Structures are given as structure tokens and as C-alpha cells.
Amino acid sequence: MSENRTRIVSDQAPRALTVSGLSYSFAGGPVLFDKLDFSVQAGEFVALLAPSGAGKTTLFRLLAGLVKPDAGEIRLGGSSESQSPGQKRRIGYMPQRDCLMSWRNVLDNAALGLELSGVPRQEARRRVRELLPSFGLEGTEQKRPHELSGGMRQRVSFLRSLLSGGDPLLLDEPFSALDAMTRASMQEWLLQIWEQHRKTVLFITHDVDEALLLSDRVLVAATSPISSLQQVAVGLQRPRDYSAVLEPSFIQLKRQILEQLGRTPVIKEGAGQ
Amino acid sequence: MKKSVKTVLPVFLFILLLAALWELLTTVFEVPHYIVPRLSDVLASLWENRLLLGRHFVLTLGEALLGLGLSVLFGVSIAIWMERFNLAKRTLYPLIMASQTIPIIALSPIMVMWFGYGVWSKISVVILFTFFPIAVNTSDGFRTADPGIGELMRTMGASKRDLFLKWKIPSALPGFFTGFKLAATISVGGAALGEWLGGESGLGVYTKRASNMLRGEAVFSGVLLLSLMGILLFLAVRWLESKVLAKRGSSDEKEM
Ligand SMILES: Nc1ncnc2c1ncn2[C@@H]1O[C@H](COP(=O)(O)OP(=O)(O)OP(=O)(O)O)[C@@H](O)[C@H]1O
Ligand SMILES: [Mg+2]
């Protein structure tokens, strides 16, 4: 497991996640995944782009071990998880809805993962407190979820997943419920946080701009059922900020992805926004 | 403090108005005391019999409280049992729902038959009245638990015990209190009914005897005390609820 700690992304970088031959369909529903293969390297920020209803959340639930695949294998780090179902998977999962506990304050909501992995309560709280300022949550320790804005709730949820220590971190459309302005500032904030922590992240979205802005690599799911993912390497320099969306290379990549998704490419640059 | 005055004052004034109207109308229209006694007569009767009424009050309250406590114990236990074991739920839940169509009042004499005229027949009638709302609402409370939170906890390696204590129980508390509040108000009725069916003392017996003797002011003073008891029990449970569910941002908090 020690190779997971390496944070350099290169061709030889160890895999954080390997999916091979994954097939899945809900009972009576359409086939969502058909012999899907893909992998994520340790330390990489990968965006998974797919239209709504394509099965993105379902994929995360498969990766998290919450649903069993019909066929195929999901490996975390080096070990094979599908062959030892009793073993606990340790991915970090941030669900699409924030799923905060209304009966807990910010501090104890964020400490949930630590608490469940046996960290003593005081120690867990101390570690949450340390991170609150950089999550823009200073002074909200005692607040309940209903007293927070949508953006703050997502940050608490993200902090909770980050602290649970799982690897890789699966983020399921964390900003899709937010208004455009809050979303933009949350994206910039996530870029900063990621620079600090450099966790392996698999980020689900159906927003092309968001995928390009945040990730090292975009995986595009254009088919239904999803049987393969088209790869787009994002060569934009890091650290990034929101102004990256104006760069010509960004627009070039965006055009490429829209084509892959089967949309008619926009005639004027930026008219698709 | 200011807020509580603001909420209590209108209610208090309205009660005063009703009391004044009661006194006025019964006096003006010379309503016979066995139909509606004058309020002043009722209050006088309350005062005269305060020691006797006090003893009856404590007894009835004791029966209601004991029955209520046992109902909480049984109701919550069965709700938890149904939650833990799917088979128990599939067998019991429909039965419990169906049993609510049985007129409980009609069942009460059975309790007298089984437990005699002592205090246990009253307590068992209270349980008969209050068990269902607690069991059903607590069970429904478990079902309202957000499955997303459960899944998230499982990805964090939560054990069954963790899931139960940190997710299911806190999620079920609002439902439990809905049932508990309902049960608290009807427990007094259950105790009074138990006493009517056969008993020596308690406010139910007191009002029934007074009614047989057409002593309107005594009947009304008993009814007044029973109502007061119901309100007190309800308020006590609501207070407990507000302490336990403090700061959750429930709909309750916003309304009050
Ligand atoms: N528990 C379930 N049982 C049966 N079908 C389901 C279940 N959950 C999801 N589905 C179906 O599977 C498909 C994929 O759902 P999923 O939630 O994974 O989509 P998604 O890509 O995450 O969509 P969105 O972008 O709207 O969140 C949908 O057609 C949905 O109706
Ligand atoms: Mg989804």
C-alpha cells in the first residue's frame, strides 16, 4: 500500500484504481456498463464526464462497494477487492447530495469518518478544527446543517470525505446544485485545496468546463451503455485558477470534448457557454 | 422570554374571555346546574374538595404515567425489533396497522376481566390506548432515515452497531416524539376510561359518581382536572422533545 503515497503523476505511477471488464445493470433496467475498463493513477485528478442519467452515481456506488457488479473487477491500490467481498473498501466518497446529519453540528458531521475509523472523539475534533479555516468554515463549528448555505454544506461534506482518509476520493457532482457564481468560487477553492492535499481524485460531472478546469485527465462517456471512455489529457498548467477557461487551449479541448459527446461543435468560440 | 409572553398572552386572554362568557351566559339564561353549572360554582366545588380531588388526581396521573412509560418501553422495543429483523417487520407491521381498526374502547372490558378492579386494569387500558401510536410512529421514524447517510457511513467502514446508533436512532427520534406526544394526550383518557369500567378512586370514578348524582359542578371540576392533566402531560413531553431535538431545525422549531 505504500506506493499509494507517491504523488508524482507519470506513466509509471502506481495505480490507485483499476476497473476491468465492469458490467452492471439494475434489475429490469437498461444495461448501464458493458465491459468497461479504466484506471486512475495515484495522485491524479481525473474528471469523468457523462450526460445526466448515464450511470455516473451508479459507477461510484459500484466503486464504493455499495452495489455488486454483474461482472468485472474493481481494484483499489494493488489489492483486488472483488475477490474478498468481506474486506472493507477504503475509498473516500462524497455523495451527490450532501447527506449531512441534521442532528450533528459542523464539527461532528465533518468528524464522522474519523470517528467511524476509531479515532477518539477529541482527537477527531481537533483534526477537523485544524482544517476548518482553509475550508472557509471558521466559526461554524457549532452550527447545524440547516443554518449553512448550500456552498458551506458542500464544503462540510467534502471535508468529511477528505478526513475519512479513503483513497481515491470519489466526488459525485459536488457543485451541480449550486448557482453559477458559487460554483465558480467553489471550483477555484477546490483547485487550491487540491494543491495542498494532492489526493487522488475521481470527479464526476456533466459540465465540460468544470471537468477541464479541474482535472489532469478527462474521461468522456459518450456511449450508452458505457463500454469505453475516451480520454482527453488536460495539459493546462497548475496551479490554475478560473481564468484558465479563457485560454485558447482550453477552448480547443472543449471543442474536442463536445465533438466526442456528439454535439455539433459551436461555430463561434465560447458561444456554447 | 419576550417571545414566550407573546405566544402565551393571546391564549391566556382568550381563555379568560371564554371563562367570562361561561359565567355570564349561565347566569343570564339561568342554565340548570346539571346542564352547565356556573364557572364560579365549579371553582368553588374544586376548592371545597381540593384534598379529595388532589388524591384522585395523583392516582389517575400515576396510572397514566405508568401506562405511558410501559407503552414507551414496549412500543420502542417492538419498533426496534421490527427494524432489526426484516421478518419481524413483515409479519408484525401489517398486524399492528390492522389492529388500529379494532375499537380499543370495546377491548377495555377484557382488561378488567383479566386484571380485575385494581390499578393494573387501568394501566393496561392506558397501554392499550398508547402503545400503537408509539410503536407505529417510531417504526415510521426508522423508515424515514436517509439511506444516503447509511451508504456514506458504510463506505467509511461503519459496523451494524454504528449504523444503528449513529444513523437509525437519531433519524427515528422525531417520529418517536410524534407518537409520544400523541400517546401523552390520550393516556389520560385511557386512565379515566379504565376507572369508569370499575374502580374505587381516581378522577374517572369521581366524575362518574358525580354524574350519577347530577352534581354538575363536581362533574365539571373533574373534567377540568382531567383536561389539565392531559395538557400538562403533553407539554411535558413537548418540552422533553425540544430538549432532545434541540437545534435540529425541525419544522416545529420554525413554527413555535
Ligand atoms: N436504485 C436504483 N434502482 C433502479 N434503477 C436505478 C437506481 N438508481 C439509479 N437507477 C437508474 O439508473 C440510471 C443511472 O442512474 P444514475 O443515478 O447513476 O445516473 P447519473 O449519471 O448519476 O445521473 P445524474 O447526472 O442525474 O446524477 C438511471 O436511469 C436511473 O433511473
Ligand atoms: Mg448522479
Side-chain angles (χ1 to χ4, degrees):
Chain A
M1 293 305 280
S2 67
E3 69 264 38
N4 276 352
R5 301 286 162 257
T6 319
R7 253 88 210 231
I8 306 150
V9 183
S10 72
D11 285 347
Q12 302 88 5
R15 298 266 174 90
L17 172 73
T18 312
V19 173
S20 44
L22 179 72
S23 296
Y24 188 76
S25 59
F26 281 108
V31 178
L32 292 176
F33 305 104
D34 185 23
K35 303 199 194 74
L36 177 66
D37 299 309
F38 73 95
S39 65
V40 177
Q41 287 168 359
E44 209 182 6
F45 194 126
V46 175
L48 187 84
L49 191 66
S52 188
K56 302 185 295 295
T57 299
T58 307
L59 179 63
F60 270 15
R61 293 175 73 223
L62 283 159
L63 299 182
L66 295 166
V67 256
K68 283 204 79 62
D70 297 339
E73 201 184 24
I74 295 162
R75 264 174 215 258
L76 297 182
S79 69
S80 163
E81 299 294 316
S82 67
Q83 272 152 16
S84 49
Q87 200 182 315
K88 277 172 196 161
R89 286 165 196 257
R90 299 304 327 214
I91 51 97
Y93 179 40
M94 177 175 171
Q96 192 163 2
R97 290 181 302 114
D98 56 54
C99 291
L100 295 177
M101 294 171 159
S102 63
W103 55 91
R104 288 188 173 210
N105 61 23
V106 168
L107 205 56
D108 291 338
N109 260 301
L112 179 68
L114 291 170
E115 191 185 317
L116 290 174
S117 48
V119 177
R121 180 163 282 209
Q122 287 314 314
E123 165 70 8
R125 287 184 174 164
R126 194 189 57 74
R127 279 164 66 181
V128 173
R129 274 207 191 89
E130 242 167 41
L131 288 175
L132 282 180
S134 64
F135 276 68
L137 293 166
E138 213 165 14
T140 63
E141 288 95 327
Q142 303 303 328
K143 287 218 160 81
R144 303 287 165 137
H146 75 278
E147 298 172 287
L148 303 177
S149 71
M152 287 162 114
R153 291 173 66 114
Q154 289 295 349
R155 284 189 296 236
V156 177
S157 169
F158 182 50
L159 178 56
R160 176 180 59 186
S161 303
L162 186 74
L163 281 172
S164 76
D167 193 52
L169 203 51
L170 309 182
L171 308 180
D172 190 354
E173 302 195 52
F175 308 141
S176 64
L178 305 174
D179 63 87
M181 262 165 80
T182 315
R183 191 185 316 144
S185 66
M186 291 287 285
Q187 286 163 349
E188 284 209 304
W189 168 80
L190 181 61
L191 283 169
Q192 281 173 23
I193 287 284
W194 190 75
E195 290 297 337
Q196 289 163 25
H197 297 266
R198 289 272 171 169
K199 295 268 284 189
T200 312
V201 173
L202 185 55
F203 186 102
I204 280 184
T205 180
H206 53 230
D207 179 339
V208 180
D209 286 13
E210 184 170 75
L212 286 170
L213 177 63
L214 297 174
S215 69
D216 299 316
R217 195 153 61 96
V218 182
L219 299 174
V220 184
T223 57
S224 171
I226 300 173
S227 55
S228 65
L229 297 166
Q230 286 166 299
Q231 264 200 63
V232 177
V234 182
L236 303 167
Q237 67 179 42
R238 287 190 188 274
R240 290 178 205 162
D241 58 31
Y242 201 77
S243 65
V245 303
L246 300 172
E247 283 176 29
S249 57
F250 185 98
I251 293 163
Q252 184 57 41
L253 288 166
K254 184 173 176 182
R255 183 192 294 273
Q256 187 188 336
I257 290 175
L258 287 174
E259 269 167 25
Q260 285 174 344
L261 283 170
R263 313 262 166 87
T264 328
V266 284
I267 295 159
K268 280 182 193 159
E269 309 276 58
Q273 290 184 13
Chain B
M1 193 62 212
K2 240 183 197 167
K3 205 179 145 210
S4 70
V5 168
K6 226 174 151 185
T7 49
V8 168
L9 195 65
V11 181
F12 184 72
L13 288 177
F14 187 63
I15 291 174
L16 270 187
L17 181 75
L18 284 182
L21 268 177
W22 179 354
E23 184 68 21
L24 190 76
L25 292 177
T26 43
T27 314
V28 170
F29 295 103
E30 293 180 339
V31 180
H33 71 92
Y34 52 84
I35 303 290
V36 181
R38 281 203 226 159
L39 179 60
S40 50
D41 290 343
V42 173
L43 294 177
S45 158
L46 267 174
W47 182 247
E48 260 168 47
N49 302 304
R50 61 189 180 278
L51 288 180
L52 181 66
L53 280 170
R55 258 189 291 130
H56 287 315
F57 187 91
V58 168
L59 184 76
T60 306
L61 181 65
E63 291 160 358
L65 279 177
L66 243 140
L68 198 57
L70 288 171
S71 273
V72 168
L73 199 72
F74 296 154
V76 170
S77 305
I78 206 153
I80 288 177
W81 196 52
M82 288 195 293
E83 183 54 36
R84 301 295 311 243
F85 303 102
N86 215 351
L87 184 67
K89 172 157 211 164
R90 272 181 296 154
T91 6
L92 284 181
Y93 194 83
L95 284 182
I96 289 183
M97 292 310 279
S99 71
Q100 287 193 299
T101 59
I102 300 171
I104 295 169
I105 293 183
L107 279 182
S108 306
I110 299 178
M111 297 298 125
V112 179
M113 196 166 74
W114 287 349
F115 297 104
Y117 292 125
V119 80
W120 282 104
S121 65
K122 284 90 190 164
I123 290 170
S124 56
V125 173
V126 174
I127 294 174
L128 214 54
F129 270 70
T130 55
F131 168 79
F132 296 118
I134 292 175
V136 168
N137 283 292
T138 308
S139 182
D140 287 348
F142 280 124
R143 269 202 294 190
T144 62
D146 178 355
I149 295 179
E151 289 204 333
L152 180 75
M153 287 178 73
R154 282 203 282 145
T155 69
M156 293 170 166
S159 63
K160 274 206 148 150
R161 194 187 141 86
D162 287 329
L163 288 170
F164 191 68
L165 293 179
K166 295 178 179 176
W167 169 46
K168 285 286 186 173
I169 292 269
S171 305
L173 277 175
F176 162 73
F177 273 108
T178 304
F180 195 10
K181 278 190 291 190
L182 209 67
T185 33
I186 58 183
S187 65
V188 176
L193 179 74
E195 290 165 358
W196 289 342
L197 290 172
E200 308 284 271
S201 43
L203 285 175
V205 173
Y206 182 86
T207 45
K208 193 181 163 207
R209 282 190 187 148
S211 147
N212 290 345
M213 291 186 281
L214 294 183
R215 283 175 45 214
E217 70 293 337
V219 175
F220 271 73
S221 57
V223 170
L224 226 57
L225 285 178
L226 283 170
S227 318
L228 189 71
M229 193 187 299
I231 293 171
L232 284 178
L233 280 179
F234 174 78
L235 289 178
V237 175
R238 212 186 61 177
W239 176 82
L240 191 69
E241 179 190 32
S242 73
K243 288 289 147 207
V244 175
L245 302 185
K247 296 185 192 162
R248 269 202 200 189
S250 61
S251 52
D252 219 40
E253 202 174 305
K254 277 169 211 148
E255 278 164 23
M256 298 288 149

